[in-house]
Amino acid sequence: MYNSKIAAFEKYVPDNIVTNDDLSKVVDTSDEWISTRTGIKQRRISKCENTAELCFNSAKRLLDKTGLSPLDIDMIITATITSDYMTPSVACIVQGRLGAENAVCFDLSAACSGFVYALSTADKFIKSGACRNVIVIGGETLSKILDWNDRATCVLFGDGAGSALVTLSDEKMILAEDLHSDGVKFESLSAGYVPVKNPFYNEKFDENSFYMQMNGREIFNFAVKKVPESILAVSGKVNVSLSEVKYIVPHQANSRIVESIAKKLKISMDKFYLNLDKFGNTSAASIPIALCEMEEKGLIKKDDKIIITGFGGGLTWGSMLFKM
Ligand code: UT7
């Protein structure tokens, strides 16, 4: 049996910073409403880079940091809901630009849980002996699927990409995972509807269904119920108490969601790493961007135990407990 470990993180975000005050010139909102309801102060909004470009830059930085050759990479998985094309995948575009010609490449669609799902997938390919080095990327250009007239959604999201190198390891470092889906509630969060249109049929559809549609309250309540259960599930599977976990890195959607989760679990907010004030909700990119920032700040040390936990469209949710 082979084991895997997460060896390094990287990130790449667009330069363009959009503050809450900037948004109040676009829609009827205020810094006060956005800050107090979500914790978000600013986000990055792409001016020209699409998702593959953000993901390529993040993956290139990862190779530069780790010193691996592109030819050492066996697989690239991109978690995204905002790919440049329906085909090719973002992962294939990244592969071509990196020159990672030995890599098998595909995208994975699990919305804001995408990075956790993709890490789990990478872990399985390494455990089976099929791969040694996998690049896992979470990358989004959510700004292109937002209705910029809808203040209930457009203030929440941002663009960016984060990546992780998952490699073969002597020791078991990915300790436990807990993944779930609930398709019955798919309409609570949707985007990018493509109607059936051909010479034989022309589907009637809501023009707005291309844009992000979200029942915010429902997603809020779903996250506050399911995420604590999932955190307890991963820690319980390997008998690791939450006091032994250095950080919990949640999907960065809303600081009030995280406060409710902390309260339910009776643990301090200090255990949760949050950077949504700077980047907003970047869906699949939010967890790897946070992990990279933590690594840059020297917050993550060898042998630290970390839980990541994602939740969002699908509905999907899931957590992973790993050791650095
Ligand atoms: O990553 C995917 C997962 N997504 C999430 O985790 C999102 C989860 N949901 C949330 O974070 C929250 O539900 C929101 C931040 C989206 C909304 O917060 P809320 O406390 O649930 O507010 P609400 O939707 O109940 O709206 C309250 C009021 C409404 O006005 P009335 O009807 O009370 O007069 C809204 O029209 O706030 C109004 N409102 C705004 N006001 C100023 C909604 N958006 C805005 C805005 N600026 N941007």
Side-chain angles (χ1 to χ4, degrees):
M1 183 69 169
Y2 302 93
N3 286 306
S4 54
K5 69 172 180 195
I6 305 172
F9 301 105
E10 259 304 344
K11 68 176 186 341
Y12 180 88
V13 293
D15 288 338
N16 182 35
I17 296 174
V18 176
T19 65
N20 293 344
D21 284 335
D22 293 333
L23 281 183
S24 69
K25 296 178 190 117
V26 178
V27 282
D28 180 15
T29 191
S30 64
D31 175 46
E32 202 269 333
W33 192 95
I34 304 170
S35 305
T36 54
R37 297 280 177 142
T38 70
I40 298 165
K41 289 273 181 198
Q42 61 183 49
R43 71 287 293 141
R44 303 296 180 103
I45 299 294
S46 177
K47 278 192 163 171
C48 54
E49 296 150 309
N50 211 327
T51 303
E53 178 75 20
L54 301 177
C55 291
F56 163 72
N57 283 302
S58 176
K60 175 80 175 66
R61 286 179 175 178
L62 195 64
L63 286 184
D64 292 346
K65 179 188 250 178
T66 56
L68 279 183
S69 151
L71 299 178
D72 294 328
I73 303 303
D74 306 309
M75 180 169 280
I76 301 172
I77 310 172
T78 303
T80 187
I81 55 165
T82 49
S83 47
D84 303 27
Y85 301 92
M86 284 194 195
T87 190
S89 64
V90 168
C92 276
I93 300 175
V94 170
Q95 176 207 28
R97 291 199 51 197
L98 286 176
E101 56 192 66
N102 299 318
V104 173
C105 302
F106 59 95
D107 290 356
L108 187 154
S109 172
C112 308
S113 315
F115 186 73
V116 183
Y117 274 50
L119 270 185
S120 163
T121 309
D123 181 45
K124 305 299 179 299
F125 273 100
I126 290 174
K127 276 186 175 149
S128 73
C131 294
R132 294 175 66 89
N133 298 308
V134 181
I135 293 180
V136 174
I137 311 169
E140 304 284 9
T141 320
L142 294 162
S143 58
K144 68 185 181 182
I145 60 162
L146 295 174
D147 175 355
W148 285 93
N149 295 312
D150 176 15
R151 67 177 182 173
T153 51
C154 76
V155 303
L156 304 174
F157 298 94
D159 301 332
S163 51
L165 178 70
V166 189
T167 64
L168 193 63
S169 161
D170 296 333
E171 199 188 331
K172 186 173 164 114
M173 304 295 265
I174 296 185
L175 304 177
E177 66 174 37
D178 173 67
L179 305 181
H180 299 276
S181 312
D182 178 4
V184 171
K185 307 230 175 71
F186 83 92
E187 281 173 323
S188 309
L189 207 177
S190 65
Y193 185 68
V194 182
V196 178
K197 190 169 191 281
N198 57 45
F200 314 102
Y201 186 71
N202 196 350
E203 183 183 332
K204 290 195 181 69
F205 72 106
D206 176 0
E207 300 274 345
N208 283 325
S209 59
F210 175 77
Y211 299 109
M212 180 86 75
Q213 310 282 322
M214 182 172 72
N215 182 333
R217 244 335 130 77
E218 208 165 280
I219 298 292
F220 193 106
N221 294 337
F222 144 74
V224 169
K225 180 169 180 341
K226 295 296 186 186
V227 173
E229 288 173 9
S230 183
I231 289 171
L232 290 176
V234 276
S235 54
K237 276 180 187 179
V238 283
N239 288 321
V240 171
S241 72
L242 293 184
S243 60
E244 292 171 73
V245 173
K246 177 91 176 282
Y247 284 105
I248 299 175
V249 185
H251 166 50
Q252 311 279 317
N254 186 321
S255 53
R256 286 191 299 132
I257 291 180
V258 182
E259 280 159 16
S260 302
I261 293 167
K263 207 168 152 195
K264 271 199 162 178
L265 292 172
K266 298 191 177 60
I267 52 177
S268 158
M269 276 295 283
D270 294 346
K271 202 175 274 283
F272 291 85
Y273 187 80
L274 289 182
N275 65 357
L276 57 83
D277 56 326
K278 282 187 284 189
F279 300 110
N281 179 345
T282 55
S283 188
S286 86
I287 293 173
I289 288 174
L291 287 164
C292 176
E293 200 179 69
M294 292 166 75
E295 197 177 63
E296 284 166 1
K297 288 181 176 172
L299 296 176
I300 304 179
K301 306 254 173 351
K302 193 176 170 333
D303 290 330
D304 280 347
K305 293 191 179 81
I306 293 175
I307 290 178
I308 57 173
T309 184
F311 56 88
L315 300 176
T316 57
W317 67 103
S319 307
M320 182 178 269
L321 167 59
F322 58 85
K323 205 159 83 164
M324 288 307 300

